Amino acid sequence: MVGAVMYPLSGTADLSRIEAPVTLKAYLLCGFAAFGGIFFGYDTGWMSGVLGMPYFITLYTGLEYNYETGEPVDVPRTEFALPSSQKSLMTSILSCGTFFGALIAGDVADFLGRRPTIIIGCLVFCVGCILEIISTNQEALFVMGRLVSGVGVGFISAVIILYMAEVAPRKVRGALVSGYQFCITLGILLANCVTYASSNRNDTGSYRIPVGVQFLWAIILGVGLFILPESPRYYVMKGKIDLAAKSLAQVRGQPLDSDYIKDELAEIVANHEYEMQVIPQTSYIGSWMACFQGSIRKGNSNLRRTLLGSGMQMMQQLTGINFIFYFGTTFFQQLGTIQNPFFISLVTTLVNVLSTPISFVAVEKLGRRVLLNWGGVGMVITQFIVAIVGVTEGRPEAQNDAAVKVMIAFICIYIFCFASTWGPVGWVIIGECFPLPIRSRGVGISTASNWFWNCIIAVITPYMVGNTPGSANLGPRVFFIWGSLCIGSTIFAYFLVPEMKGLTLEQIDTMMEETVPRKSRGWVPTSTFAAQMGRVRDEKGSANQQEFAPEP
């Protein structure tokens, strides 16, 4: 074939050559893909503000509000709110949709590809937004819109992590995937800014404007993905080595005939062949059951990896962070000690945004385990301080402004501890811990776990802190619960999360097979998969295995 580049399906035994050097193109590609976090964050953020908007509360409860005085009519400020049941339904139904969306996305990503699945998610998301906007006081229509939007967010949140983990270079994979969490925090900040600006409007624009802004994120991501390459590992899984080579050359910013591309592609293919021997593909049901094969005692078993990924996302949610971003505004209103709850919510969101970039450097310099362990300790301490102050000097009847400021300060420190550690690292771990044959479904299950527990928290939290009949009215005491759960999260990270810093996705498979999490930091690779599978080129550089020529 004239002008064709011959691709040997044999690689190198040199560990330093199994991945191409990092280029600016790789940074920009992953940076744009991380934009999908805007969906997650914005949808998390705008609901908190809308639930506290006077017009929205009046629309669904009939309670009157005087916009000139800024006070409700005939009811105390602390009682001017949606019922706990309504807040619970409107908030949690999104997570219900995302749970199923994340599970479905695993199948679609393997069938159609990573990129088309994200684009489909954008389209589904837009349909949900339309339903939310056209609703007035029709709770059923608004809830249906939230459910449909959730399915779209589920598609995006699961597959973006999968796509980024598969295309990002190993030396900066943690930093680039952490960019997804940064975009989540940026989305929450943008949502708070929009809801803050529209909160005092005396018309439907108060809540329709925040909902309508979401179309912009869908358009940017959906259109942009048409020009991004597909994941090369997806093509390897499908046996399309020619397309895998072209895609890998694009994401690495290297010529198609580069030795780096040949060696990295050979390593990916060799690892996939090895994993297929261990995880044979059978029926559709069997492909899902493969995620739960093996013993829980074996670190490299599929079951252990699935429990690691889903457990990581569960523990991330049980830190209580979404209590602040889902119900922060209404919680601050019910405390009765904060004059401008919308502004305080904006401040906490800004802390979240500014803290996350620290993880870009720390996740690669210090490692995943260090951040999770020390971040967990920080969250435990700060949440117990908030709870103790809240039930003593921070009570409304104490009228102690200094104590209230202390509570807000330590809530911000708690957010800093989460945003620089558990927030980004939780996503990094699930993108790294699964082998290629089950990666899409494993990431889907893990992301679904995030949304399942997100949904649980959204359902029960209004009843935990609400002051309506049937609610526990815990107030600041709820931080005793979050602090105790953070203890469990820290123990989970210490005993079960391995260190994956600086390893390729293929090397992580070997590491989990050869060592335990507490000793994983000292593990170093000793050979390549190409060498293990007998696919090493001879000293002259010629392939001793089958060669492949991609079509021009």
Side-chain angles (χ1 to χ4, degrees):
M1 186 181 297
V2 179
V5 177
M6 300 301 291
Y7 274 97
L9 292 186
S10 56
T12 178
D14 185 352
L15 289 168
S16 66
R17 292 189 59 84
I18 58 174
E19 187 173 85
V22 180
T23 63
L24 178 61
K25 187 172 185 178
Y27 284 113
L28 295 177
L29 190 151
C30 287
F32 182 81
F35 185 82
I38 293 283
F39 284 82
F40 189 161
Y42 192 89
D43 234 15
T44 299
W46 73 259
M47 198 63 206
S48 172
V50 166
L51 290 176
M53 286 181 178
Y55 184 85
F56 195 78
I57 293 173
T58 299
L59 190 66
Y60 281 93
T61 65
L63 299 174
E64 295 183 6
Y65 188 83
N66 189 324
Y67 287 87
E68 293 182 359
T69 63
E71 295 290 337
V73 178
D74 297 331
V75 293
R77 178 184 292 186
T78 55
E79 295 179 14
F80 184 72
L82 293 172
S84 297
S85 58
Q86 216 164 20
K87 286 193 289 187
S88 173
L89 175 62
M90 289 181 173
T91 305
S92 63
I93 197 66
L94 175 87
S95 302
C96 180
T98 51
F99 171 79
F100 290 105
L103 289 177
I104 296 170
D107 276 339
V108 179
D110 272 355
F111 182 69
L112 297 178
R114 285 47 167 153
R115 200 171 51 123
T117 304
I118 300 172
I119 295 172
I120 292 171
C122 292
L123 295 175
V124 174
F125 179 79
C126 287
V127 173
C129 289
I130 292 171
L131 294 176
E132 290 172 327
I133 287 176
I134 64 176
S135 68
T136 49
N137 62 343
Q138 301 145 302
E139 183 176 355
L141 186 59
F142 186 82
V143 167
M144 179 58 67
R146 292 280 287 168
L147 179 65
V148 174
S149 293
V151 173
V153 175
F155 268 54
I156 295 163
S157 61
V159 184
I160 281 286
I161 290 297
L162 176 64
Y163 180 79
M164 292 181 67
E166 290 189 340
V167 302
R170 59 173 172 163
K171 294 181 180 178
V172 291
R173 185 178 57 244
L176 291 175
V177 176
S178 294
Y180 175 75
Q181 175 66 20
F182 175 70
C183 285
I184 292 176
T185 64
L186 192 60
I188 296 173
L189 176 63
L190 290 171
N192 275 269
C193 289
V194 174
T195 55
Y196 182 69
S198 67
S199 61
N200 290 319
R201 290 178 63 105
N202 187 16
D203 55 34
T204 58
S206 60
Y207 70 91
R208 282 177 170 164
I209 290 173
V211 175
V213 169
Q214 297 177 108
F215 284 109
L216 181 61
W217 319 138
I219 292 170
I220 292 174
L221 184 63
V223 172
L225 278 165
F226 275 104
I227 61 175
L228 292 185
E230 180 56 87
S231 164
R233 287 177 168 87
Y234 165 74
Y235 284 134
V236 168
M237 186 178 68
K238 290 295 186 180
K240 300 177 179 179
I241 308 300
D242 56 338
L243 295 176
K246 293 176 181 179
S247 178
L248 188 61
Q250 283 183 281
V251 301
R252 294 291 182 258
Q254 299 285 337
L256 191 60
D257 60 351
S258 165
D259 286 339
Y260 282 114
I261 299 301
K262 296 176 183 179
D263 290 339
E264 183 172 357
L265 181 60
E267 183 72 0
I268 295 172
V269 171
N271 172 259
H272 182 57
E273 290 179 352
Y274 171 79
E275 294 293 351
M276 290 297 289
Q277 294 174 5
V278 180
I279 314 170
Q281 299 298 291
T282 54
S283 63
Y284 172 77
I285 299 298
S287 64
W288 275 101
M289 294 304 297
C291 296
F292 304 96
Q293 288 178 350
S295 169
I296 195 173
R297 295 178 179 274
K298 292 185 64 176
N300 70 324
S301 72
N302 291 348
L303 175 60
R304 180 71 172 266
R305 294 170 192 254
T306 301
L307 292 177
L308 170 61
S310 57
M312 189 74 218
Q313 291 297 299
M314 176 186 73
M315 292 300 178
Q316 186 197 64
Q317 287 301 304
L318 294 181
T319 60
I321 192 66
N322 278 330
F323 164 70
I324 299 295
F325 297 125
Y326 276 155
F327 303 106
T329 303
T330 53
F331 174 71
F332 294 140
Q333 286 173 336
Q334 291 169 0
L335 285 179
T337 54
I338 295 175
Q339 294 299 315
N340 194 337
F342 281 93
F343 179 72
I344 298 301
S345 292
L346 192 58
V347 170
T348 58
T349 305
L350 187 60
V351 172
N352 193 28
V353 172
L354 296 178
S355 302
T356 303
I358 295 173
S359 66
F360 295 177
V361 176
V363 74
E364 299 298 353
K365 294 294 184 181
L366 301 178
R368 284 66 162 154
R369 282 178 56 82
V370 170
L371 292 188
L372 291 175
N373 291 330
W374 287 106
V377 170
M379 288 190 291
V380 171
I381 294 172
T382 52
Q383 296 210 65
F384 277 120
I385 290 175
V386 172
I388 292 168
V389 173
V391 299
T392 53
E393 294 300 315
R395 293 170 298 154
E397 55 268 26
Q399 296 293 311
N400 190 332
D401 290 340
V404 173
K405 291 177 181 177
V406 168
M407 289 174 64
I408 294 173
F410 275 95
I411 287 175
C412 289
I413 296 172
Y414 151 65
I415 293 171
F416 166 81
C417 292
F418 175 87
S420 57
T421 60
W422 273 83
V425 177
W427 296 108
V428 173
I429 295 296
I430 69 168
E432 295 177 330
C433 69
F434 295 101
L436 182 57
I438 66 165
R439 185 171 295 141
S440 64
R441 288 180 171 85
V443 173
I445 291 171
S446 300
T447 308
S449 172
N450 177 291
W451 289 111
F452 174 79
W453 290 101
N454 189 305
C455 181
I456 295 297
I457 289 171
V459 169
I460 66 174
T461 299
Y463 295 100
M464 292 168 66
V465 298
N467 53 12
T468 56
S471 299
N473 195 18
L474 292 177
R477 288 172 292 177
V478 74
F479 284 94
F480 282 121
I481 296 175
W482 303 135
S484 299
L485 290 171
C486 280
I487 294 175
S489 298
T490 306
I491 294 172
F492 176 90
Y494 181 78
F495 286 103
L496 297 177
V497 179
E499 183 55 71
M500 306 177 190
K501 176 173 72 78
L503 303 176
T504 67
L505 296 180
E506 289 70 37
Q507 288 171 342
I508 289 171
D509 292 343
T510 306
M511 178 270 292
M512 295 182 73
E513 184 177 352
E514 295 182 354
T515 189
V516 296
R518 285 180 295 141
K519 299 179 180 179
S520 58
R521 188 176 181 85
W523 184 89
V524 292
T526 56
S527 65
T528 66
F529 270 98
Q532 293 179 38
M533 299 298 290
R535 291 186 174 278
V536 179
R537 291 193 300 275
D538 60 31
E539 294 181 357
K540 296 179 181 180
S542 62
N544 58 19
Q545 299 288 335
Q546 175 189 359
E547 290 189 339
F548 184 85
E551 295 183 7

